[in-house]
Amino acid sequence: MLLVVDSLTRLAMAQREIGLAAGEPPTAKGYTPSVFTLLARLIERAGSFGSGTITGFYTVLMEGDDENDPLVDAARALLDGHVMLDRRLAAQSHYPPISILDSISRIMPAVISAEHLVKTNVIRRLFATYKASEELIRIGAYQKNCDGRPRSRHHTDACTSRISDAGDAGSCCNERFNQSPDGASDVISRLRI
């Protein structure tokens, strides 16, 4: 069975109003304790049981893109995985605007091969390294072969002087974009960011 709930945020807001009217004390961001109890009961109903399986898809609307919203945190803690959409990617007409680094599946390692998992982790690490250096790349301060992790004293001194020459105290990009296993750099070069 497939359960689709759009949206947990509206359900939580309605339960908050009921809780406040019943005299419950507000907690984080005005949500009452009954909100989090209701969310847990609803989300935990989905799963695999002896007589069948319920797969749930729930939407959660973030207020002002606040990933630390208590409702968002509660949903993330209860769900087996989540797909985060990125407003910035949508504004660039990148569809679906899925934020790869913010999206997680806790059950993925159990349903894919070890080889697939290794390649997925390589891509995620490369993508994270790129995201950490994205501004440097855009303003032209990117320096090849320097990621802030010292390999040798000479390498550290060379990177520090390159960063100083560029007028930036941040880190610069890793050579993994140019020399990565399994052709991952080719995949990264095709990603639209």
Side-chain angles (χ1 to χ4, degrees), residues 85-120:
L85 302 181
D86 187 336
R87 187 184 314 262
R88 185 182 56 87
L89 291 174
Q92 296 171 355
S93 295
H94 181 118
Y95 294 104
I98 296 171
S99 174
I100 295 170
L101 295 176
D102 295 326
S103 301
I104 292 177
S105 171
R106 291 188 188 99
I107 61 169
M108 187 173 92
V111 296
I112 63 173
S113 69
E115 180 185 359
H116 187 158
L117 185 61
V118 167
K119 289 181 180 181
T120 300

